[in-house]
Amino acid sequence: TQLLEQSPQFLSIQEGENLTVYCNSSSVFSSLQWYRQEPGEGPVLLVTVVTGGEVKKLKRLTFQFGDARKDSSLHITAAQPGDTGLYLCAGAGTGGFKTIFGAGTRLFVKA
Amino acid sequence: ETGVTQSPTHLIKTRGQQVTLRCSSQSGHNTVSWYQQALGQGPQFIFQYYREEENGRGNFPPRFSGLQFPNYSSELNVNALELDDSALYLCASSLAQGAYYGYTFGSGTRLTVV
């Protein structure tokens, strides 16, 4: 059974601080996605990484896929209150059709 | 380009009843996946439909069933509702390789079973 473990589960920081969220598994994924979900809404895709070691940047967000394609990290620089939300990592297995999600990291950025 | 639309947004049902949730996929997308998200958890894969056929299923009992229509819209049916079925049900549309590139999600249907 493929599992994705996210850490930390909850993070409360001040505006302007940096943070890193981790997503780990013992399984290899063909691709890994990061989503952000706000209360009462569905997850919104932030990025997809597909190559081991790949790094993608989206403004203040930096995403990295592990060399072995088993883990990933999301780093936010100078967090803002608008970054508040639930961050989910999701891995697509080599089977193709199924994506599994981690339990999420709930981020709260205080002004 | 229209996004994914789900209906209804909220629903309250009694244990033992049946429920049908609906999803209109994003324009151009031919694959629909359904997920269940319990409070404080990540989404759990229920099943996926491609070309009107079930194309994979997660660890959910047969009382969870679905349909996909020629216009790629989809329904999720749950029979004999149980209290633990209370959750946010998310529909995600994609092209056939959506599991690889990522999904477009609807806002979900909040189901409460009492």
Side-chain angles (χ1 to χ4, degrees), chain A residues 30-31 33 35 37 40-43 45 48 50 88 92 96-99 101-103, chain B residues 35 37 40-43 45 48 55-57 88 90 99-103 105-107:
Chain A
S30 57
S31 73
Q33 298 114 36
Y35 293 82
Q37 185 178 22
E41 297 295 326
L45 181 65
T48 298
V50 301
L88 295 159
F97 64 85
K98 176 181 171 181
T99 295
F101 282 79
Chain B
Y35 284 81
Q37 187 176 25
Q41 300 294 321
F45 177 72
Q48 183 182 88
N55 185 38
R57 189 178 185 92
L88 181 68
L90 295 163
Y100 186 77
Y101 293 110
Y103 295 115
F105 280 90
S107 295

PDB file of all heavy atoms in Angstrom, chain A residues 30-31 33 35 37 40-43 45 48 50 88 92 96-99 101-103, chain B residues 35 37 40-43 45 48 55-57 88 90 99-103 105-107:
ATOM      1  N   SER A  30       5.673   8.239 -10.098  1.00  0.00           N
ATOM      2  CA  SER A  30       5.992   8.715 -11.443  1.00  0.00           C
ATOM      3  C   SER A  30       5.933  10.240 -11.499  1.00  0.00           C
ATOM      4  O   SER A  30       6.635  10.849 -12.307  1.00  0.00           O
ATOM      5  CB  SER A  30       5.055   8.101 -12.478  1.00  0.00           C
ATOM      6  OG  SER A  30       3.712   8.393 -12.156  1.00  0.00           O
ATOM      7  N   SER A  31       5.114  10.821 -10.661  1.00  0.00           N
ATOM      8  CA  SER A  31       5.079  12.282 -10.536  1.00  0.00           C
ATOM      9  C   SER A  31       4.528  12.631  -9.163  1.00  0.00           C
ATOM     10  O   SER A  31       3.904  11.788  -8.505  1.00  0.00           O
ATOM     11  CB  SER A  31       4.220  12.931 -11.623  1.00  0.00           C
ATOM     12  OG  SER A  31       2.843  12.703 -11.378  1.00  0.00           O
ATOM     13  N   GLN A  33       2.535  15.930  -7.029  1.00  0.00           N
ATOM     14  CA  GLN A  33       1.892  17.238  -7.122  1.00  0.00           C
ATOM     15  C   GLN A  33       1.734  17.847  -5.738  1.00  0.00           C
ATOM     16  O   GLN A  33       1.632  17.144  -4.744  1.00  0.00           O
ATOM     17  CB  GLN A  33       0.516  17.106  -7.774  1.00  0.00           C
ATOM     18  CG  GLN A  33       0.560  16.579  -9.204  1.00  0.00           C
ATOM     19  CD  GLN A  33      -0.070  15.226  -9.340  1.00  0.00           C
ATOM     20  OE1 GLN A  33      -1.057  14.914  -8.670  1.00  0.00           O
ATOM     21  NE2 GLN A  33       0.456  14.395 -10.233  1.00  0.00           N
ATOM     22  N   TYR A  35      -0.829  20.634  -3.833  1.00  0.00           N
ATOM     23  CA  TYR A  35      -2.080  21.365  -3.918  1.00  0.00           C
ATOM     24  C   TYR A  35      -2.229  22.239  -2.671  1.00  0.00           C
ATOM     25  O   TYR A  35      -1.679  21.940  -1.609  1.00  0.00           O
ATOM     26  CB  TYR A  35      -3.286  20.413  -3.949  1.00  0.00           C
ATOM     27  CG  TYR A  35      -3.404  19.551  -5.179  1.00  0.00           C
ATOM     28  CD1 TYR A  35      -2.670  18.377  -5.311  1.00  0.00           C
ATOM     29  CD2 TYR A  35      -4.292  19.893  -6.211  1.00  0.00           C
ATOM     30  CE1 TYR A  35      -2.799  17.580  -6.436  1.00  0.00           C
ATOM     31  CE2 TYR A  35      -4.431  19.091  -7.333  1.00  0.00           C
ATOM     32  CZ  TYR A  35      -3.686  17.946  -7.429  1.00  0.00           C
ATOM     33  OH  TYR A  35      -3.821  17.144  -8.544  1.00  0.00           O
ATOM     34  N   GLN A  37      -5.469  23.919  -0.403  1.00  0.00           N
ATOM     35  CA  GLN A  37      -6.917  23.847  -0.218  1.00  0.00           C
ATOM     36  C   GLN A  37      -7.341  24.833   0.862  1.00  0.00           C
ATOM     37  O   GLN A  37      -6.767  24.859   1.959  1.00  0.00           O
ATOM     38  CB  GLN A  37      -7.341  22.423   0.177  1.00  0.00           C
ATOM     39  CG  GLN A  37      -8.839  22.232   0.281  1.00  0.00           C
ATOM     40  CD  GLN A  37      -9.208  20.802   0.617  1.00  0.00           C
ATOM     41  OE1 GLN A  37      -8.405  20.048   1.158  1.00  0.00           O
ATOM     42  NE2 GLN A  37     -10.429  20.401   0.284  1.00  0.00           N
ATOM     43  N   GLY A  40     -13.832  24.863   2.699  1.00  0.00           N
ATOM     44  CA  GLY A  40     -15.024  24.862   1.853  1.00  0.00           C
ATOM     45  C   GLY A  40     -14.745  24.797   0.370  1.00  0.00           C
ATOM     46  O   GLY A  40     -15.677  24.913  -0.428  1.00  0.00           O
ATOM     47  N   GLU A  41     -13.486  24.604  -0.006  1.00  0.00           N
ATOM     48  CA  GLU A  41     -13.129  24.549  -1.421  1.00  0.00           C
ATOM     49  C   GLU A  41     -12.387  23.255  -1.727  1.00  0.00           C
ATOM     50  O   GLU A  41     -11.901  22.560  -0.831  1.00  0.00           O
ATOM     51  CB  GLU A  41     -12.231  25.740  -1.788  1.00  0.00           C
ATOM     52  CG  GLU A  41     -12.883  27.091  -1.614  1.00  0.00           C
ATOM     53  CD  GLU A  41     -14.047  27.309  -2.560  1.00  0.00           C
ATOM     54  OE1 GLU A  41     -13.988  26.807  -3.710  1.00  0.00           O
ATOM     55  OE2 GLU A  41     -15.027  27.980  -2.154  1.00  0.00           O
ATOM     56  N   GLY A  42     -12.285  22.950  -3.024  1.00  0.00           N
ATOM     57  CA  GLY A  42     -11.485  21.811  -3.426  1.00  0.00           C
ATOM     58  C   GLY A  42     -10.017  22.199  -3.526  1.00  0.00           C
ATOM     59  O   GLY A  42      -9.679  23.382  -3.593  1.00  0.00           O
ATOM     60  N   PRO A  43      -9.121  21.216  -3.536  1.00  0.00           N
ATOM     61  CA  PRO A  43      -7.691  21.510  -3.692  1.00  0.00           C
ATOM     62  C   PRO A  43      -7.406  22.172  -5.039  1.00  0.00           C
ATOM     63  O   PRO A  43      -8.040  21.844  -6.044  1.00  0.00           O
ATOM     64  CB  PRO A  43      -7.045  20.120  -3.630  1.00  0.00           C
ATOM     65  CG  PRO A  43      -8.047  19.244  -2.944  1.00  0.00           C
ATOM     66  CD  PRO A  43      -9.377  19.776  -3.353  1.00  0.00           C
ATOM     67  N   LEU A  45      -4.313  22.883  -7.746  1.00  0.00           N
ATOM     68  CA  LEU A  45      -2.985  22.430  -8.126  1.00  0.00           C
ATOM     69  C   LEU A  45      -1.996  23.593  -8.157  1.00  0.00           C
ATOM     70  O   LEU A  45      -2.230  24.607  -8.811  1.00  0.00           O
ATOM     71  CB  LEU A  45      -3.035  21.760  -9.503  1.00  0.00           C
ATOM     72  CG  LEU A  45      -1.728  21.204 -10.058  1.00  0.00           C
ATOM     73  CD1 LEU A  45      -1.221  20.046  -9.204  1.00  0.00           C
ATOM     74  CD2 LEU A  45      -1.915  20.761 -11.514  1.00  0.00           C
ATOM     75  N   THR A  48       3.419  20.386 -10.483  1.00  0.00           N
ATOM     76  CA  THR A  48       3.699  18.967 -10.689  1.00  0.00           C
ATOM     77  C   THR A  48       5.197  18.820 -10.947  1.00  0.00           C
ATOM     78  O   THR A  48       5.752  19.552 -11.771  1.00  0.00           O
ATOM     79  CB  THR A  48       2.908  18.413 -11.881  1.00  0.00           C
ATOM     80  OG1 THR A  48       1.511  18.526 -11.621  1.00  0.00           O
ATOM     81  CG2 THR A  48       3.255  16.950 -12.129  1.00  0.00           C
ATOM     82  N   VAL A  50       8.184  15.892 -11.952  1.00  0.00           N
ATOM     83  CA  VAL A  50       8.202  14.567 -12.565  1.00  0.00           C
ATOM     84  C   VAL A  50       9.585  13.932 -12.618  1.00  0.00           C
ATOM     85  O   VAL A  50       9.691  12.715 -12.783  1.00  0.00           O
ATOM     86  CB  VAL A  50       7.607  14.618 -13.991  1.00  0.00           C
ATOM     87  CG1 VAL A  50       6.180  15.136 -13.956  1.00  0.00           C
ATOM     88  CG2 VAL A  50       8.456  15.463 -14.916  1.00  0.00           C
ATOM     89  N   LEU A  88      -1.375  20.054   0.485  1.00  0.00           N
ATOM     90  CA  LEU A  88      -1.453  18.615   0.262  1.00  0.00           C
ATOM     91  C   LEU A  88      -0.429  18.190  -0.773  1.00  0.00           C
ATOM     92  O   LEU A  88      -0.322  18.820  -1.831  1.00  0.00           O
ATOM     93  CB  LEU A  88      -2.843  18.235  -0.252  1.00  0.00           C
ATOM     94  CG  LEU A  88      -4.018  18.453   0.706  1.00  0.00           C
ATOM     95  CD1 LEU A  88      -5.327  18.521  -0.080  1.00  0.00           C
ATOM     96  CD2 LEU A  88      -4.085  17.345   1.732  1.00  0.00           C
ATOM     97  N   ALA A  92       1.433  10.236  -7.928  1.00  0.00           N
ATOM     98  CA  ALA A  92       0.875   9.365  -8.955  1.00  0.00           C
ATOM     99  C   ALA A  92       1.781   8.150  -9.073  1.00  0.00           C
ATOM    100  O   ALA A  92       2.974   8.276  -9.326  1.00  0.00           O
ATOM    101  CB  ALA A  92       0.785  10.094 -10.288  1.00  0.00           C
ATOM    102  N   GLY A  96      -0.502   4.489 -12.933  1.00  0.00           N
ATOM    103  CA  GLY A  96      -1.031   5.521 -13.840  1.00  0.00           C
ATOM    104  C   GLY A  96      -2.323   6.177 -13.443  1.00  0.00           C
ATOM    105  O   GLY A  96      -2.448   7.379 -13.508  1.00  0.00           O
ATOM    106  N   PHE A  97      -3.347   5.416 -13.021  1.00  0.00           N
ATOM    107  CA  PHE A  97      -4.643   6.047 -12.914  1.00  0.00           C
ATOM    108  C   PHE A  97      -4.918   6.633 -11.539  1.00  0.00           C
ATOM    109  O   PHE A  97      -5.794   7.442 -11.368  1.00  0.00           O
ATOM    110  CB  PHE A  97      -5.755   5.037 -13.231  1.00  0.00           C
ATOM    111  CG  PHE A  97      -5.831   3.897 -12.256  1.00  0.00           C
ATOM    112  CD1 PHE A  97      -6.538   4.020 -11.068  1.00  0.00           C
ATOM    113  CD2 PHE A  97      -5.186   2.708 -12.515  1.00  0.00           C
ATOM    114  CE1 PHE A  97      -6.600   2.967 -10.157  1.00  0.00           C
ATOM    115  CE2 PHE A  97      -5.245   1.654 -11.613  1.00  0.00           C
ATOM    116  CZ  PHE A  97      -5.949   1.791 -10.437  1.00  0.00           C
ATOM    117  N   LYS A  98      -4.178   6.227 -10.536  1.00  0.00           N
ATOM    118  CA  LYS A  98      -4.565   6.563  -9.174  1.00  0.00           C
ATOM    119  C   LYS A  98      -3.567   7.532  -8.552  1.00  0.00           C
ATOM    120  O   LYS A  98      -2.360   7.337  -8.657  1.00  0.00           O
ATOM    121  CB  LYS A  98      -4.621   5.284  -8.346  1.00  0.00           C
ATOM    122  CG  LYS A  98      -4.907   5.475  -6.877  1.00  0.00           C
ATOM    123  CD  LYS A  98      -4.899   4.116  -6.192  1.00  0.00           C
ATOM    124  CE  LYS A  98      -4.969   4.253  -4.704  1.00  0.00           C
ATOM    125  NZ  LYS A  98      -4.936   2.930  -4.038  1.00  0.00           N
ATOM    126  N   THR A  99      -4.079   8.570  -7.950  1.00  0.00           N
ATOM    127  CA  THR A  99      -3.246   9.512  -7.203  1.00  0.00           C
ATOM    128  C   THR A  99      -3.593   9.391  -5.736  1.00  0.00           C
ATOM    129  O   THR A  99      -4.769   9.408  -5.381  1.00  0.00           O
ATOM    130  CB  THR A  99      -3.492  10.945  -7.690  1.00  0.00           C
ATOM    131  OG1 THR A  99      -3.066  11.066  -9.049  1.00  0.00           O
ATOM    132  CG2 THR A  99      -2.727  11.949  -6.850  1.00  0.00           C
ATOM    133  N   PHE A 101      -3.050  10.897  -1.747  1.00  0.00           N
ATOM    134  CA  PHE A 101      -2.771  12.150  -1.075  1.00  0.00           C
ATOM    135  C   PHE A 101      -2.218  11.920   0.324  1.00  0.00           C
ATOM    136  O   PHE A 101      -2.572  10.951   0.997  1.00  0.00           O
ATOM    137  CB  PHE A 101      -4.059  12.975  -0.949  1.00  0.00           C
ATOM    138  CG  PHE A 101      -4.465  13.668  -2.218  1.00  0.00           C
ATOM    139  CD1 PHE A 101      -5.101  12.977  -3.228  1.00  0.00           C
ATOM    140  CD2 PHE A 101      -4.207  15.017  -2.390  1.00  0.00           C
ATOM    141  CE1 PHE A 101      -5.473  13.612  -4.404  1.00  0.00           C
ATOM    142  CE2 PHE A 101      -4.581  15.672  -3.550  1.00  0.00           C
ATOM    143  CZ  PHE A 101      -5.211  14.957  -4.552  1.00  0.00           C
ATOM    144  N   GLY A 102      -1.368  12.856   0.749  1.00  0.00           N
ATOM    145  CA  GLY A 102      -0.986  12.909   2.147  1.00  0.00           C
ATOM    146  C   GLY A 102      -2.114  13.534   2.959  1.00  0.00           C
ATOM    147  O   GLY A 102      -3.096  14.031   2.399  1.00  0.00           O
ATOM    148  N   ALA A 103      -1.968  13.514   4.287  1.00  0.00           N
ATOM    149  CA  ALA A 103      -3.011  14.060   5.164  1.00  0.00           C
ATOM    150  C   ALA A 103      -2.985  15.582   5.207  1.00  0.00           C
ATOM    151  O   ALA A 103      -3.928  16.204   5.696  1.00  0.00           O
ATOM    152  CB  ALA A 103      -2.857  13.497   6.566  1.00  0.00           C
TER     153      ALA A 103
ATOM    154  N   TYR B  35     -13.116  11.538  -4.970  1.00  0.00           N
ATOM    155  CA  TYR B  35     -12.374  11.402  -3.724  1.00  0.00           C
ATOM    156  C   TYR B  35     -13.291  11.710  -2.543  1.00  0.00           C
ATOM    157  O   TYR B  35     -14.199  12.543  -2.642  1.00  0.00           O
ATOM    158  CB  TYR B  35     -11.181  12.368  -3.690  1.00  0.00           C
ATOM    159  CG  TYR B  35     -10.007  11.935  -4.534  1.00  0.00           C
ATOM    160  CD1 TYR B  35      -9.982  12.160  -5.904  1.00  0.00           C
ATOM    161  CD2 TYR B  35      -8.919  11.283  -3.961  1.00  0.00           C
ATOM    162  CE1 TYR B  35      -8.907  11.746  -6.683  1.00  0.00           C
ATOM    163  CE2 TYR B  35      -7.839  10.870  -4.719  1.00  0.00           C
ATOM    164  CZ  TYR B  35      -7.844  11.106  -6.078  1.00  0.00           C
ATOM    165  OH  TYR B  35      -6.772  10.689  -6.838  1.00  0.00           O
ATOM    166  N   GLN B  37     -13.054  13.103   1.369  1.00  0.00           N
ATOM    167  CA  GLN B  37     -12.167  13.767   2.309  1.00  0.00           C
ATOM    168  C   GLN B  37     -12.878  13.944   3.647  1.00  0.00           C
ATOM    169  O   GLN B  37     -13.775  14.774   3.786  1.00  0.00           O
ATOM    170  CB  GLN B  37     -11.707  15.122   1.770  1.00  0.00           C
ATOM    171  CG  GLN B  37     -10.646  15.801   2.640  1.00  0.00           C
ATOM    172  CD  GLN B  37     -10.128  17.102   2.041  1.00  0.00           C
ATOM    173  OE1 GLN B  37     -10.809  17.748   1.257  1.00  0.00           O
ATOM    174  NE2 GLN B  37      -8.914  17.500   2.406  1.00  0.00           N
ATOM    175  N   GLY B  40     -10.186  16.885   8.517  1.00  0.00           N
ATOM    176  CA  GLY B  40      -8.815  16.799   8.997  1.00  0.00           C
ATOM    177  C   GLY B  40      -7.944  15.789   8.282  1.00  0.00           C
ATOM    178  O   GLY B  40      -6.808  15.537   8.709  1.00  0.00           O
ATOM    179  N   GLN B  41      -8.443  15.223   7.197  1.00  0.00           N
ATOM    180  CA  GLN B  41      -7.689  14.205   6.449  1.00  0.00           C
ATOM    181  C   GLN B  41      -7.442  14.662   5.019  1.00  0.00           C
ATOM    182  O   GLN B  41      -8.054  15.612   4.535  1.00  0.00           O
ATOM    183  CB  GLN B  41      -8.481  12.890   6.433  1.00  0.00           C
ATOM    184  CG  GLN B  41      -8.757  12.315   7.802  1.00  0.00           C
ATOM    185  CD  GLN B  41      -7.502  11.872   8.510  1.00  0.00           C
ATOM    186  OE1 GLN B  41      -6.585  11.316   7.909  1.00  0.00           O
ATOM    187  NE2 GLN B  41      -7.421  12.153   9.807  1.00  0.00           N
ATOM    188  N   GLY B  42      -6.554  13.941   4.353  1.00  0.00           N
ATOM    189  CA  GLY B  42      -6.369  14.168   2.926  1.00  0.00           C
ATOM    190  C   GLY B  42      -7.420  13.406   2.143  1.00  0.00           C
ATOM    191  O   GLY B  42      -8.065  12.493   2.661  1.00  0.00           O
ATOM    192  N   PRO B  43      -7.629  13.759   0.885  1.00  0.00           N
ATOM    193  CA  PRO B  43      -8.605  13.045   0.053  1.00  0.00           C
ATOM    194  C   PRO B  43      -8.227  11.580  -0.148  1.00  0.00           C
ATOM    195  O   PRO B  43      -7.051  11.266  -0.342  1.00  0.00           O
ATOM    196  CB  PRO B  43      -8.553  13.815  -1.270  1.00  0.00           C
ATOM    197  CG  PRO B  43      -8.005  15.167  -0.924  1.00  0.00           C
ATOM    198  CD  PRO B  43      -7.047  14.919   0.192  1.00  0.00           C
ATOM    199  N   PHE B  45      -8.951   8.211  -2.518  1.00  0.00           N
ATOM    200  CA  PHE B  45      -9.417   7.828  -3.857  1.00  0.00           C
ATOM    201  C   PHE B  45     -10.559   6.831  -3.775  1.00  0.00           C
ATOM    202  O   PHE B  45     -10.420   5.764  -3.163  1.00  0.00           O
ATOM    203  CB  PHE B  45      -8.243   7.244  -4.630  1.00  0.00           C
ATOM    204  CG  PHE B  45      -8.567   6.742  -6.002  1.00  0.00           C
ATOM    205  CD1 PHE B  45      -8.850   7.625  -7.039  1.00  0.00           C
ATOM    206  CD2 PHE B  45      -8.577   5.383  -6.281  1.00  0.00           C
ATOM    207  CE1 PHE B  45      -9.131   7.171  -8.320  1.00  0.00           C
ATOM    208  CE2 PHE B  45      -8.849   4.913  -7.561  1.00  0.00           C
ATOM    209  CZ  PHE B  45      -9.132   5.806  -8.575  1.00  0.00           C
ATOM    210  N   GLN B  48     -12.233   6.061 -10.498  1.00  0.00           N
ATOM    211  CA  GLN B  48     -12.021   6.925 -11.659  1.00  0.00           C
ATOM    212  C   GLN B  48     -12.822   6.384 -12.834  1.00  0.00           C
ATOM    213  O   GLN B  48     -12.954   5.168 -13.011  1.00  0.00           O
ATOM    214  CB  GLN B  48     -10.544   6.973 -12.032  1.00  0.00           C
ATOM    215  CG  GLN B  48     -10.217   7.907 -13.189  1.00  0.00           C
ATOM    216  CD  GLN B  48      -8.741   7.879 -13.544  1.00  0.00           C
ATOM    217  OE1 GLN B  48      -8.278   7.079 -14.335  1.00  0.00           O
ATOM    218  NE2 GLN B  48      -7.985   8.781 -12.943  1.00  0.00           N
ATOM    219  N   ASN B  55     -12.271   2.899 -14.234  1.00  0.00           N
ATOM    220  CA  ASN B  55     -10.883   2.718 -14.657  1.00  0.00           C
ATOM    221  C   ASN B  55      -9.955   2.566 -13.458  1.00  0.00           C
ATOM    222  O   ASN B  55      -8.787   2.898 -13.531  1.00  0.00           O
ATOM    223  CB  ASN B  55     -10.470   3.937 -15.483  1.00  0.00           C
ATOM    224  CG  ASN B  55      -9.093   3.805 -16.073  1.00  0.00           C
ATOM    225  OD1 ASN B  55      -8.704   2.732 -16.496  1.00  0.00           O
ATOM    226  ND2 ASN B  55      -8.331   4.891 -16.079  1.00  0.00           N
ATOM    227  N   GLY B  56     -10.468   2.047 -12.365  1.00  0.00           N
ATOM    228  CA  GLY B  56      -9.665   1.904 -11.166  1.00  0.00           C
ATOM    229  C   GLY B  56     -10.484   2.269  -9.959  1.00  0.00           C
ATOM    230  O   GLY B  56     -11.355   3.149 -10.026  1.00  0.00           O
ATOM    231  N   ARG B  57     -10.240   1.613  -8.859  1.00  0.00           N
ATOM    232  CA  ARG B  57     -11.052   1.783  -7.662  1.00  0.00           C
ATOM    233  C   ARG B  57     -10.168   1.722  -6.424  1.00  0.00           C
ATOM    234  O   ARG B  57      -9.216   0.936  -6.369  1.00  0.00           O
ATOM    235  CB  ARG B  57     -12.103   0.661  -7.603  1.00  0.00           C
ATOM    236  CG  ARG B  57     -13.138   0.837  -6.530  1.00  0.00           C
ATOM    237  CD  ARG B  57     -14.151  -0.289  -6.579  1.00  0.00           C
ATOM    238  NE  ARG B  57     -15.218  -0.038  -5.621  1.00  0.00           N
ATOM    239  CZ  ARG B  57     -16.353   0.591  -5.884  1.00  0.00           C
ATOM    240  NH1 ARG B  57     -16.585   1.006  -7.118  1.00  0.00           N
ATOM    241  NH2 ARG B  57     -17.254   0.793  -4.959  1.00  0.00           N
ATOM    242  N   LEU B  88     -16.497  15.390   2.886  1.00  0.00           N
ATOM    243  CA  LEU B  88     -16.517  16.221   1.688  1.00  0.00           C
ATOM    244  C   LEU B  88     -16.193  15.309   0.504  1.00  0.00           C
ATOM    245  O   LEU B  88     -15.161  14.630   0.504  1.00  0.00           O
ATOM    246  CB  LEU B  88     -15.490  17.343   1.790  1.00  0.00           C
ATOM    247  CG  LEU B  88     -15.393  18.315   0.620  1.00  0.00           C
ATOM    248  CD1 LEU B  88     -16.662  19.174   0.509  1.00  0.00           C
ATOM    249  CD2 LEU B  88     -14.162  19.218   0.761  1.00  0.00           C
ATOM    250  N   LEU B  90     -15.209  15.024  -3.305  1.00  0.00           N
ATOM    251  CA  LEU B  90     -14.566  15.849  -4.317  1.00  0.00           C
ATOM    252  C   LEU B  90     -14.543  15.132  -5.656  1.00  0.00           C
ATOM    253  O   LEU B  90     -14.222  13.950  -5.738  1.00  0.00           O
ATOM    254  CB  LEU B  90     -13.132  16.173  -3.900  1.00  0.00           C
ATOM    255  CG  LEU B  90     -12.971  17.035  -2.654  1.00  0.00           C
ATOM    256  CD1 LEU B  90     -11.548  16.945  -2.119  1.00  0.00           C
ATOM    257  CD2 LEU B  90     -13.322  18.484  -2.971  1.00  0.00           C
ATOM    258  N   ALA B  99      -3.590  11.588 -13.720  1.00  0.00           N
ATOM    259  CA  ALA B  99      -2.902  11.172 -12.505  1.00  0.00           C
ATOM    260  C   ALA B  99      -1.440  11.602 -12.574  1.00  0.00           C
ATOM    261  O   ALA B  99      -0.801  11.795 -11.550  1.00  0.00           O
ATOM    262  CB  ALA B  99      -3.000   9.670 -12.318  1.00  0.00           C
ATOM    263  N   TYR B 100      -0.909  11.760 -13.760  1.00  0.00           N
ATOM    264  CA  TYR B 100       0.497  12.124 -13.932  1.00  0.00           C
ATOM    265  C   TYR B 100       0.690  13.628 -13.841  1.00  0.00           C
ATOM    266  O   TYR B 100       1.634  14.105 -13.219  1.00  0.00           O
ATOM    267  CB  TYR B 100       0.976  11.610 -15.287  1.00  0.00           C
ATOM    268  CG  TYR B 100       2.457  11.788 -15.543  1.00  0.00           C
ATOM    269  CD1 TYR B 100       3.393  10.945 -14.962  1.00  0.00           C
ATOM    270  CD2 TYR B 100       2.913  12.800 -16.381  1.00  0.00           C
ATOM    271  CE1 TYR B 100       4.742  11.099 -15.201  1.00  0.00           C
ATOM    272  CE2 TYR B 100       4.271  12.960 -16.624  1.00  0.00           C
ATOM    273  CZ  TYR B 100       5.177  12.109 -16.043  1.00  0.00           C
ATOM    274  OH  TYR B 100       6.518  12.271 -16.283  1.00  0.00           O
ATOM    275  N   TYR B 101      -0.223  14.385 -14.437  1.00  0.00           N
ATOM    276  CA  TYR B 101      -0.039  15.834 -14.512  1.00  0.00           C
ATOM    277  C   TYR B 101      -0.779  16.612 -13.431  1.00  0.00           C
ATOM    278  O   TYR B 101      -0.477  17.758 -13.186  1.00  0.00           O
ATOM    279  CB  TYR B 101      -0.497  16.346 -15.878  1.00  0.00           C
ATOM    280  CG  TYR B 101       0.384  15.855 -17.018  1.00  0.00           C
ATOM    281  CD1 TYR B 101      -0.077  14.940 -17.938  1.00  0.00           C
ATOM    282  CD2 TYR B 101       1.685  16.325 -17.144  1.00  0.00           C
ATOM    283  CE1 TYR B 101       0.738  14.486 -18.969  1.00  0.00           C
ATOM    284  CE2 TYR B 101       2.508  15.885 -18.169  1.00  0.00           C
ATOM    285  CZ  TYR B 101       2.025  14.964 -19.076  1.00  0.00           C
ATOM    286  OH  TYR B 101       2.820  14.528 -20.088  1.00  0.00           O
ATOM    287  N   GLY B 102      -1.786  15.980 -12.814  1.00  0.00           N
ATOM    288  CA  GLY B 102      -2.543  16.689 -11.786  1.00  0.00           C
ATOM    289  C   GLY B 102      -3.977  16.911 -12.205  1.00  0.00           C
ATOM    290  O   GLY B 102      -4.327  16.795 -13.371  1.00  0.00           O
ATOM    291  N   TYR B 103      -4.798  17.230 -11.238  1.00  0.00           N
ATOM    292  CA  TYR B 103      -6.238  17.332 -11.431  1.00  0.00           C
ATOM    293  C   TYR B 103      -6.765  18.749 -11.246  1.00  0.00           C
ATOM    294  O   TYR B 103      -6.157  19.570 -10.558  1.00  0.00           O
ATOM    295  CB  TYR B 103      -6.967  16.450 -10.406  1.00  0.00           C
ATOM    296  CG  TYR B 103      -6.718  14.966 -10.559  1.00  0.00           C
ATOM    297  CD1 TYR B 103      -6.057  14.252  -9.563  1.00  0.00           C
ATOM    298  CD2 TYR B 103      -7.166  14.280 -11.674  1.00  0.00           C
ATOM    299  CE1 TYR B 103      -5.843  12.900  -9.688  1.00  0.00           C
ATOM    300  CE2 TYR B 103      -6.948  12.918 -11.805  1.00  0.00           C
ATOM    301  CZ  TYR B 103      -6.288  12.231 -10.807  1.00  0.00           C
ATOM    302  OH  TYR B 103      -6.077  10.893 -10.924  1.00  0.00           O
ATOM    303  N   PHE B 105     -10.006  20.188  -9.450  1.00  0.00           N
ATOM    304  CA  PHE B 105     -11.040  19.763  -8.516  1.00  0.00           C
ATOM    305  C   PHE B 105     -12.218  20.727  -8.515  1.00  0.00           C
ATOM    306  O   PHE B 105     -12.069  21.934  -8.728  1.00  0.00           O
ATOM    307  CB  PHE B 105     -10.491  19.703  -7.084  1.00  0.00           C
ATOM    308  CG  PHE B 105      -9.707  18.475  -6.776  1.00  0.00           C
ATOM    309  CD1 PHE B 105      -8.342  18.443  -6.996  1.00  0.00           C
ATOM    310  CD2 PHE B 105     -10.328  17.349  -6.256  1.00  0.00           C
ATOM    311  CE1 PHE B 105      -7.603  17.306  -6.704  1.00  0.00           C
ATOM    312  CE2 PHE B 105      -9.593  16.203  -5.965  1.00  0.00           C
ATOM    313  CZ  PHE B 105      -8.233  16.183  -6.187  1.00  0.00           C
ATOM    314  N   GLY B 106     -13.404  20.166  -8.225  1.00  0.00           N
ATOM    315  CA  GLY B 106     -14.549  20.992  -7.906  1.00  0.00           C
ATOM    316  C   GLY B 106     -14.492  21.412  -6.450  1.00  0.00           C
ATOM    317  O   GLY B 106     -13.570  21.031  -5.717  1.00  0.00           O
ATOM    318  N   SER B 107     -15.486  22.198  -6.048  1.00  0.00           N
ATOM    319  CA  SER B 107     -15.517  22.679  -4.663  1.00  0.00           C
ATOM    320  C   SER B 107     -16.053  21.652  -3.688  1.00  0.00           C
ATOM    321  O   SER B 107     -15.973  21.842  -2.471  1.00  0.00           O
ATOM    322  CB  SER B 107     -16.366  23.947  -4.567  1.00  0.00           C
ATOM    323  OG  SER B 107     -15.757  24.996  -5.302  1.00  0.00           O
TER     324      SER B 107
END
